[in-house]
Amino acid sequence: MNDFFRRSFSLFLLISLLICSVIPVSAENGRQTVRVGYVLDDGYQEGEEGQHKTGYGYEYLQKIRYYTDWEYEYIYGSFSDLLDGVKNGTVDLMGNISMTGSRAEEMYFGEYPQGSEDYLLVIHSDDTSVSPSDYSTLNGKKVGINKGSVQVGMFEEWLQAQGLTDVKIVEYSSAKQRVSDLKSHAIDAMVVVDLQTDEDLRSIATIGSSYYYFVVSKEKPWLKQELDEAQGQILSINTNYNDSLYIKYHDNVNSIRTSLTEEEMNWIAATPVVTVGYPSGCLPYCTSDDSGSMTGMYREYFDFVSQTYGITFAYREFSSYADILRSLDRQEIDIAIPMYFDYWVAEENRLALTDPLIDSSITYISSSKDSSIKADRIAVSEKYFCQAFYVQAFYPNAEIIYCPDFQCCLNEVNSGTADCTFFNSDVLEVKRRSYPDLAKMHVSSMHVSCPVSIAVRQGSGELMSILNKGIALTSDSDTISHMVSYTRIAATENFSLLTYMTQNTLGTILFISGICLLILVIVIIAYARAAQQKALLQDALDNYRQADYDRRTDFLTGLHSRQDMFETLQESVSGNHSAITAMYMIDIDYFKKLNDNYGHTYGDECLRKIGEALLEFGREHNMNFYRYGGEEMLGIAFDPKQDARGIAAELVQMIAGLNIHRADVPTGCVTVSLGYTTDNKRFEKMIDKADTAMYQAKDDGRNRFACYEDLIRAEKR
C-alpha cells in the first residue's frame, strides 16, 4: 500500500512539473512576455534599444502582437548568436529564418511563411576586376556571408554549379562590418538579401532564393500555436499582406537592384544620345514651351534619369501620335511618350512598355445626360495617346472618327456625329477652364485605370531596363507633385480669350458681332455706354467665377477637387489660410463590390448623396471636404476647439444614417471607414497618417474610425 501511494505521489509531481513547464509566464500587466531575437538589418529591422524602430520584420511583429497581446522583450545580437538562443531557449521568437532539415528538428517553424527573399552576390560599384558575364573572375576572391545563415550552403552550391574552386568564404557576425570590409576592399564581394541596400553596391548574380519564417523555441509550444493563429488571421483578411508589406519597404530601400549592370553601362557608353518623341499640347504630361523645349511631367522624369545614370536625352516634337509611332518603328527616335499601359495593345503595335509612371483614370464625355454609355461611334484626337489605345482595347468594333484636336472631338459629339469621346482625367482637368462646352456635356468616370508609361521598340532590352530602374527610384509623391504643378500651369495658360476664339468659331463670330454692335450702339446711343460696359464686365466676371468653380469642384460629388485640396494645404502652410487642426480620410466600405453588384450608376448616385451630406456637415462644423480619389474623401478641419474624436464618430454615424440601401453587406446600408490625425506639424505627412489610421479602421471591421495618435501610443506601450 505504501509503494502504491509513493508511486501515485511521484506520478502527481511529474504531471504537475510538465503542466508548469508548458503554461506561459505572464508579465505583471497580464500579458505574455515574449523574448524576440532582434537582428539589426537595413530595411528589415532597424532601431537599437531605446531608438525608433521600423522595417519589414518589425512591422510584422507588431501586426502579430495586435492579435496575440504579447509583450515583447527585444534581445539584440548577431544572427548566429540569436539563432543559437532559439535553440537553447534563451530566445522565444525570431523572424527571417529559412527552413532546413536540421533547423526544423531544433526549433518550431511557423505554419505560414513570413515572406520570400532572393540572395544577391554584390560587389563594390567601382570594382572592375569581377565581371558579371564571366564568373571565373571570382577565383582568388574573398566573399563575405552572414555567419550561420542558409546563404552559406546556397553559395557553396552556386560555386560548385559555376565550377569555381578558388573562392574563399568569410563568415561575419556583423552586417555593418561586412559592408565596411567590402568598401575598404578587405573582401571582394558579399552575399546579401534583396531588402538590403547601399548605393555603392552592384549586383552581379542571384545565387538562390527561399521562403523564410518566424521560428519558436522548442520550450514554448504554446507560442507556436498563437503565432500560427495570428498569422492565419492576418493572411485570411489580406491574402497579399506579405507582398504588400515587402513592397512597402522594398520600394523605399532597395537600390542594389536599381544599379546598372555592366551591359547597361556599356550600352550607355555606346549610345551618345537617346531621342524622345512627344506630342505638343499634352500637359500635364508633355508639351513645348516658348523656346521649343519639351516640358511637363515626363521632362522631370527624364532629367532625373539623366542625372542618375548619365544618359543624354534629345527631344523631338510631333503633330500626331501616329507620326510618333511611325518614327519609332523606323528607328528615327528611341522612345515614344506618353503611352497607355496595356500589354495587348503594345503587342499589336510591336511596342515594349516600361512600368507605369503614374495612374490616371478614363473619363466618358457625351452630349446626353443619360448615364448609360453608348459608344458605337467614338471621336478620337490624333494628339492624345490614351484615347486610341483605350478604344482599341475595349471598343474594337466601334467606328472611329479621327479629329485633329480636343475641340474637334467635342464638336463631333455635340453635333451627334459621334456618340462620345474618352479622355484620361488628368488631361480633362487641364481642359476644363478653357473649354466652356464641357459644362454643358455629360462627363463621368469610367472607373477604369489609365496607367501611363513609356514605349520603346521591341528588342530594346538595355534601354527598357534602365528606364524601369529610373521609375523604381522615382518617388510617387514627386511624380504627383509634378502632375499637380503642370496641371495648374496649363489651366492658367489655356484660359485666355485668344484660346477661346481659336477653338470656338461660332463663339468668335458672336463675340466680334457683339463688339461691332456695341460700337454702333455707343455711337448712336451715347447714354447707354456705361450700362453696356457694366454688363460686359459682369459677364466676364461670371464666366471667370464659373470657370474657377469648375476647377475647384468635383463634378460628380460637388465636393472640393483634389487640385483645390493641394492649394488649400499650400496656403495653410504659407499662412494665407487658417491653420489645419485635424485631417480625416474617409473610404466607402466595399465600394468595388457595390459597383459590381449594383452597377456604376448606383455607385455614382451613392457618391453624390455622400458628397451632399459632407458639404452640409462641413458648413456646420467649419470644415472642407475634398474628393481625394475614387471612393475616398478627405476632410480638413480648422477649428482648434473642435473635438476631433467626436467629429470622427459623428461622420461615421451620419453616413450610415443616410441609409443608402445595399443588401450585399451585413449592415444593409452603405458605411465608411475613417482615419484621422491631429498631428499638424507637416500637412503632407497628415495625409499619410490619416490614411494609415483609415486602413486600421478597415482592419478592425469597417464602419468605424481610428486615430493615428492612438495607434502610435498603442505601439509604444
Side-chain angles (χ1 to χ4, degrees):
M1 181 67 70
N2 290 336
D3 289 341
F4 172 76
F5 279 114
R6 281 196 298 271
R7 285 195 297 270
S8 299
F9 183 69
S10 299
L11 181 60
F12 171 76
L13 287 177
L14 178 61
I15 293 173
S16 299
L17 288 171
L18 288 174
I19 292 173
C20 291
S21 69
V22 298
I23 294 177
V25 178
S26 297
E28 293 181 0
N29 60 5
R31 291 169 142 187
Q32 299 159 350
T33 298
V34 177
R35 296 168 297 181
V36 176
Y38 200 83
V39 180
L40 295 173
D41 194 0
D42 290 347
Y44 180 74
Q45 285 177 163
E46 300 180 29
E48 299 183 20
E49 186 171 3
Q51 295 180 341
H52 178 265
K53 287 179 169 55
T54 185
Y56 179 102
Y58 175 74
E59 184 168 332
Y60 214 132
L61 285 168
Q62 300 311 303
K63 191 75 171 179
I64 291 171
R65 187 168 65 85
Y66 294 156
Y67 289 90
T68 60
D69 203 31
W70 292 339
E71 187 82 32
Y72 288 142
E73 176 187 346
Y74 297 105
I75 311 296
Y76 302 87
S78 68
F79 178 86
S80 57
D81 289 344
L82 292 173
L83 191 60
D84 288 340
V86 178
K87 297 174 185 177
N88 61 38
T90 58
V91 173
D92 301 324
L93 176 68
M94 186 174 174
N96 197 23
I97 309 298
S98 299
M99 184 182 293
T100 65
S102 61
R103 288 177 178 174
E105 295 176 357
E106 297 172 316
M107 61 194 72
Y108 294 120
F109 277 78
E111 182 178 350
Y112 306 97
Q114 182 189 2
S116 62
E117 59 191 5
D118 293 334
Y119 304 115
L120 309 178
L121 180 63
V122 300
I123 61 175
H124 198 275
S125 57
D126 64 4
D127 187 356
T128 58
S129 66
V130 179
S131 171
S133 59
D134 183 7
Y135 294 139
S136 67
T137 54
L138 284 168
N139 278 319
K141 305 293 186 181
K142 296 178 183 178
V143 179
I145 303 185
N146 191 14
K147 183 179 179 181
S149 68
V150 72
Q151 304 159 30
V152 177
M154 281 190 178
F155 186 56
E156 289 173 342
E157 293 177 3
W158 185 83
L159 290 175
Q160 185 176 0
Q162 303 301 324
L164 302 176
T165 58
D166 188 23
V167 177
K168 182 179 180 181
I169 296 177
V170 182
E171 295 191 46
Y172 284 83
S173 297
S174 168
K176 289 184 178 179
Q177 185 61 49
R178 186 179 54 191
V179 174
S180 175
D181 283 359
L182 180 64
K183 291 184 176 181
S184 66
H185 301 291
I187 57 176
D188 305 287
M190 67 178 183
V191 175
V192 299
V193 297
D194 56 2
L195 271 176
Q196 189 167 346
T197 180
D198 196 303
E199 295 181 357
D200 293 330
L201 304 182
R202 180 160 59 94
S203 173
I204 63 171
T206 300
I207 67 162
S209 61
S210 71
Y211 286 105
Y212 55 94
Y213 300 79
F214 288 104
V215 295
V216 175
S217 168
K218 284 277 189 177
E219 298 184 6
K220 300 288 180 68
W222 56 269
L223 193 66
K224 181 195 183 300
Q225 180 180 352
E226 292 191 12
L227 169 69
D228 291 343
E229 290 175 355
Q231 275 195 282
Q233 286 182 283
I234 292 168
L235 296 173
S236 66
I237 295 172
N238 181 1
T239 56
N240 296 318
Y241 178 76
N242 290 1
D243 291 337
S244 61
L245 189 60
Y246 172 85
I247 290 171
K248 175 179 178 179
Y249 289 97
H250 179 276
D251 285 350
N252 289 337
V253 303
N254 191 355
S255 63
I256 294 176
R257 290 188 178 276
T258 53
S259 62
L260 297 180
T261 65
E262 184 176 6
E263 290 81 1
E264 290 163 353
M265 288 189 289
N266 291 337
W267 183 88
I268 292 175
T271 309
V273 177
V274 175
T275 304
V276 179
Y278 70 96
S280 187
C282 196
L283 282 177
Y285 300 108
C286 55
T287 192
S288 294
D289 60 19
D290 294 338
S291 65
S293 299
M294 190 185 95
T295 187
M297 181 272 288
Y298 272 97
R299 181 57 185 265
E300 301 288 347
Y301 164 76
F302 286 122
D303 285 347
F304 171 76
V305 172
S306 178
Q307 294 168 7
T308 304
Y309 295 128
I311 298 179
T312 300
F313 291 102
Y315 304 96
R316 181 177 169 189
E317 180 185 355
F318 289 83
S319 59
S320 73
Y321 207 77
D323 290 340
I324 296 176
L325 295 183
R326 278 192 291 269
S327 185
L328 182 67
D329 188 54
R330 295 169 185 162
Q331 302 187 22
E332 297 168 351
I333 59 174
D334 306 294
I335 290 174
I337 60 164
M339 184 63 199
Y340 174 62
F341 184 87
D342 184 279
Y343 283 117
W344 179 81
V345 169
E347 182 180 12
E348 290 294 298
N349 291 275
R350 300 194 306 277
L351 302 172
L353 303 180
T354 67
D355 298 332
L357 277 84
I358 196 169
D359 241 358
S360 183
S361 59
I362 297 295
T363 303
Y364 170 83
I365 304 173
S366 70
S367 60
S368 171
K369 296 297 181 182
D370 185 0
S371 59
S372 62
I373 295 176
K374 183 180 180 183
D376 296 327
R377 297 167 299 168
I378 304 172
V380 171
S381 170
E382 296 175 353
K383 296 184 72 171
Y384 291 95
F385 69 102
C386 101
Q387 285 183 294
F389 292 125
Y390 173 76
V391 171
Q392 183 181 355
F394 292 95
Y395 299 93
N397 299 320
E399 177 187 349
I400 306 301
I401 301 171
Y402 289 99
C403 300
D405 53 34
F406 182 84
Q407 182 63 55
C408 176
C409 288
L410 298 187
N411 293 342
E412 295 293 341
V413 172
N414 276 324
S415 68
T417 305
D419 298 320
C420 66
T421 186
F422 295 97
F423 280 90
N424 61 316
S425 58
D426 294 317
V427 171
L428 190 63
E429 189 65 31
V430 170
K431 301 297 182 184
R432 279 189 179 278
R433 294 186 64 182
S434 50
Y435 291 85
D437 289 353
L438 276 172
K440 307 171 186 177
M441 305 180 75
H442 175 68
V443 181
S444 63
S445 172
M446 294 293 292
H447 304 290
V448 175
S449 174
C450 176
V452 183
S453 67
I454 299 170
V456 299
R457 285 185 299 276
Q458 290 182 357
S460 305
E462 290 85 359
L463 177 57
M464 169 71 69
S465 177
I466 295 168
L467 294 175
N468 275 332
K469 289 178 178 180
I471 292 171
L473 285 174
T474 302
S475 164
D476 288 343
S477 60
D478 285 344
T479 303
I480 292 172
S481 176
H482 294 320
M483 290 288 288
V484 171
S485 174
Y486 285 107
T487 297
R488 294 179 64 184
I489 292 171
T492 303
E493 290 179 348
N494 290 341
F495 187 64
S496 65
L497 179 61
L498 180 60
T499 303
Y500 179 86
M501 294 174 64
T502 303
Q503 298 180 347
N504 296 271
T505 305
L506 179 59
T508 301
I509 294 173
L510 293 175
F511 180 79
I512 294 174
S513 300
I515 293 296
C516 293
L517 180 61
L518 179 61
I519 294 173
L520 181 61
V521 170
I522 289 173
V523 172
I524 298 174
I525 312 173
Y527 67 85
R529 181 176 180 179
Q532 291 289 338
Q533 288 178 338
K534 182 177 180 180
L536 288 173
L537 288 172
Q538 186 61 48
D539 288 342
L541 180 60
D542 290 343
N543 288 338
Y544 175 82
R545 287 172 175 169
Q546 182 62 45
D548 189 65
Y549 174 83
D550 291 342
R551 180 179 66 84
R552 293 179 174 272
T553 306
D554 177 67
F555 63 88
L556 178 60
T557 63
L559 299 174
H560 295 281
S561 68
R562 185 177 178 127
Q563 181 178 346
D564 190 49
M565 176 195 73
F566 280 105
E567 292 179 2
T568 300
L569 294 175
Q570 290 170 353
E571 288 172 359
S572 179
V573 171
S574 64
N576 296 326
H577 198 286
S578 301
I580 297 171
T581 59
M583 193 170 288
Y584 304 79
M585 184 64 76
I586 305 168
D587 186 86
I588 300 176
D589 294 329
Y590 305 110
F591 189 73
K592 181 179 184 301
K593 183 178 179 182
L594 183 144
N595 277 330
D596 292 342
N597 292 342
Y598 291 90
H600 291 292
T601 301
Y602 191 84
D604 286 349
E605 183 61 24
C606 168
L607 287 169
R608 277 192 289 270
K609 288 181 178 179
I610 292 177
E612 291 172 0
L614 289 175
L615 284 175
E616 182 63 27
F617 190 93
R619 283 190 287 268
E620 294 174 0
H621 295 82
N622 188 25
M623 294 176 65
N624 287 351
F625 286 91
Y626 306 83
R627 177 87 178 276
Y628 189 74
E631 67 272 22
E632 289 184 331
M633 279 77 73
L634 185 79
I636 297 178
F638 305 97
D639 187 349
K641 298 180 181 179
Q642 224 170 49
D643 175 16
R645 183 177 296 275
I647 290 293
E650 190 174 350
L651 281 168
V652 173
Q653 294 170 2
M654 180 269 290
I655 293 175
L658 295 176
N659 290 321
I660 302 174
H661 173 73
R662 59 181 305 186
D664 58 342
V665 293
T667 58
C669 65
V670 172
T671 61
V672 298
S673 297
L674 182 148
Y676 77 93
T677 179
T678 57
D679 183 0
N680 60 357
K681 293 178 182 178
R682 294 180 63 186
F683 76 80
E684 64 270 29
K685 294 297 182 182
M686 290 186 76
I687 296 177
D688 292 338
K689 291 175 181 178
D691 195 56
T692 298
M694 181 268 290
Y695 277 104
Q696 184 61 48
K698 284 188 177 292
D699 288 346
D700 291 342
R702 294 181 166 84
N703 190 22
R704 63 194 65 214
F705 68 88
C707 173
Y708 179 83
E709 285 69 31
D710 289 347
L711 302 183
I712 296 301
R713 285 190 288 271
E715 289 180 359
K716 292 180 178 179
R717 285 200 293 266

